[in-house]
């Protein structure tokens, strides 16, 4: 009777033979009557009729091997396990690295097999969640093949090209921040063991099914992005400009303006009022920099450029002499419309894209609700980014009342 061995391909990961203490190599024998713990024998000890304590040579046995097909005739069970282990090590979507680790299959074979049998396989659909019919899974595309090139662009994080591509990384075929980015967190503490009760085992399987459905939703959204060419946000700058003009026209209508001559006058007066408001804040800024002569001199030159209608040519520096990065431009970035004004200001100053901020905020809120409070150390363990940014986000959420200190 052939059974799939529950160990990896490394012989040192398998228990030794109870007869000769050598590392087991497939195929090997498991006694069906002894255990727990399981009683394993190599083929040599089995053929000699090795007996030990309660184990007798006439006991029924199982042949442990993974050299047989499970889901596909051209894939052995051992290769199935190697594929799952490689995807876990290299990450979903890094098919070239997965193929390199497996050694026996190509990049295309790994991607096609995984998408067909582990993502779009109707046999894995949860009956508890009433997922879509199996026929839809059969007709669905098995992969999300974004148009790749021989040398895809590799934009650096937070660069203009990265923002234009909504954080998409062509070389890896995934995004910096995926949809439902923390879906895997629900699986981190799940471990299947032999002594699980039927109810506990069913509960764990339900959690895996839920994760599977969330992963399918992530892939569905990627497919929509691929099919409709939504990667490059520059295509939608025209829409953004039109929305801005519509908003400006609505502002004119609210103010009772009915012709463009009056609109020009309104814009001029509005600009004048804004300049006056900025000048009223001059005193507070002067007081801020008056103790640092160098910073004060830079501020005066900056104000002179502003008054003359030029862009400020000197970046402001702190008392420590470090140059401050300019605020992040949120124009056109996904998720900006979901932020209030204070959250937009935070993202600009911390230089954090809105989508990432919303993910971090959701994770911190969920953890705070579970624990009844949240400490800064816990926030840093949840958000793997610069610790200073984490502190600013944590302090902001505390100050705004979204979370409470533990």
């Amino acid at each position: 009777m052939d059974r799939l061995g529950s160990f990896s391909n490394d012989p040192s990961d398998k228990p030794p033979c109870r007869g000769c203490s050598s590392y087991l190599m497939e195929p090997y024998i498991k006694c069906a009557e002894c255990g727990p713990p399981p009683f394993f024998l190599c083929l040599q000890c089995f053929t000699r009729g090795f007996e030990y304590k309660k184990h007798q040579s006439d006991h029924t046995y199982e042949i442990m091997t993974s050299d047989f097909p499970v889901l596909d005739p051209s894939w052995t069970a051992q290769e199935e396990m190697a594929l799952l282990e490689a995807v876990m090590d290299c990450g979903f979507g890094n098919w070239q690295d997965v193929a390199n680790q497996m050694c026996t299959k190509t990049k295309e074979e790994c991607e096609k097999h995984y998408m067909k049998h582990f993502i779009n396989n109707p046999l894995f659909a949860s009956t508890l969640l009433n997922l879509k019919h199996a026929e839809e899974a059969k007709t669905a595309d098995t992969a999300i093949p974004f148009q790749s090139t021989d040398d895809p662009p590799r934009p650096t994080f937070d660069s203009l090209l990265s923002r234009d591509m909504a954080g998409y990384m062509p070389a890896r075929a995934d995004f910096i921040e995926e949809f439902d980015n923390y879906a895997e967190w629900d699986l981190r503490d799940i471990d299947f063991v032999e002594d699980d009760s039927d109810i506990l085992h069913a509960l764990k399987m339900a959690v895996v099914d839920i994760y599977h459905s969330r992963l399918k939703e992530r892939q569905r959204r990627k497919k929509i992005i691929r099919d409709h060419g939504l990667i490059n946000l520059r295509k939608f700058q025209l829409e953004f400009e039109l929305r801005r003009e519509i908003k400006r026209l609505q502002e004119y209508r609210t103010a009772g303006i009915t012709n463009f001559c009056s609109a020009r006058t309104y814009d001029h007066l509005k600009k004048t009022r804004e300049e006056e408001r900025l000048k009223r804040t001059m005193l507070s800024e002067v007081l801020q920099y008056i103790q640092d002569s160098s910073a004060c001199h830079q501020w005066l030159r900056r104000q002179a450029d502003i008054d003359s209608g030029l862009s400020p040519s000197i970046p402001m520096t702190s008392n420590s002499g470090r140059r401050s990065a300019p605020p992040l431009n949120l124009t056109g970035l996904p998720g900006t419309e979901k932020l209030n004004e204070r959250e937009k200001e935070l993202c600009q100053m911390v230089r954090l894209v809105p989508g990432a901020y919303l993910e971090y905020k959701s994770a911190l809120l969920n953890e705070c609700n579970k624990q009844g409070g949240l400490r800064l150390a816990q926030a840093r363990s949840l958000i793997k980014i610069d610790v200073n940014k984490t502190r600013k986000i944590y302090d902001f959420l505390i100050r705004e009342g979204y979370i409470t200190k533990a």
Side-chain angles (χ1 to χ4, degrees), residues 180-378:
D180 202 358
N181 198 50
Y182 295 95
E184 288 77 13
W185 284 18
D186 294 335
L187 300 179
R188 57 183 176 177
D189 297 327
I190 292 182
D191 185 20
F192 288 89
V193 295
E194 292 184 359
D195 58 352
D196 280 345
S197 64
D198 293 341
I199 295 178
L200 182 58
H201 181 79
L203 179 61
K204 291 181 178 180
M205 290 301 301
V207 174
V208 174
D209 285 338
I210 292 172
Y211 167 71
H212 179 250
S213 65
R214 295 166 74 179
L215 189 61
K216 289 187 68 176
E217 176 62 16
R218 183 185 294 173
Q219 293 301 108
R220 186 187 71 84
R221 291 177 180 245
K222 281 187 178 182
K223 183 176 184 296
I224 293 174
I225 292 175
R226 188 267 326 259
D227 292 344
H228 296 277
L230 304 180
I231 293 294
N232 194 338
L233 293 184
R234 288 178 178 173
K235 293 177 59 177
F236 303 96
Q237 291 302 313
L238 178 58
E239 178 185 354
F240 174 78
E241 294 293 335
L242 289 174
R243 289 180 179 273
R244 186 171 63 178
E245 288 300 313
I246 291 173
K247 184 177 180 180
R248 188 161 68 96
L249 292 174
Q250 290 174 338
E251 182 182 355
Y252 291 156
R253 180 63 60 87
T254 303
I257 297 173
T258 58
N259 57 71
F260 286 105
C261 181
S262 300
R264 284 192 293 270
T265 304
Y266 174 81
D267 288 339
H268 175 71
L269 293 175
K270 181 180 178 181
K271 181 180 179 181
T272 303
R273 289 195 301 270
E274 183 65 21
E275 290 175 351
E276 290 296 328
R277 187 188 67 81
L278 292 175
K279 289 180 179 180
R280 285 196 296 271
T281 63
M282 181 182 300
L283 178 60
S284 61
E285 292 190 8
V286 170
L287 292 176
Q288 180 181 356
Y289 294 104
I290 197 66
Q291 296 179 351
D292 189 335
S293 59
S294 175
C296 183
H297 179 66
Q298 291 182 6
W299 182 87
L300 291 173
R301 291 184 60 184
R302 178 171 174 267
Q303 290 299 320
D305 288 340
I306 294 176
D307 292 340
S308 61
L310 301 175
S311 300
S313 58
I314 302 177
M316 298 304 298
T317 59
S318 62
N319 292 337
S320 63
R322 294 183 59 185
R323 194 171 284 206
S324 300
L328 177 65
N329 183 10
L330 302 182
T331 303
L333 292 182
T336 304
E337 70 282 356
K338 299 179 181 179
L339 307 180
N340 59 38
E341 292 302 322
R342 291 185 295 277
E343 289 177 318
K344 290 179 182 178
E345 182 179 353
L346 173 69
C347 290
Q348 289 175 332
M349 300 309 298
V350 180
R351 297 187 59 79
L352 188 67
V353 294
Y357 164 76
L358 292 172
E359 291 282 358
Y360 299 151
K361 175 183 175 183
S362 176
L364 295 179
L365 287 177
N366 291 337
E367 190 67 19
C368 181
N369 292 333
K370 292 179 182 178
Q371 305 295 334
L374 194 67
R375 292 181 287 107
L376 178 59
Q378 292 174 309

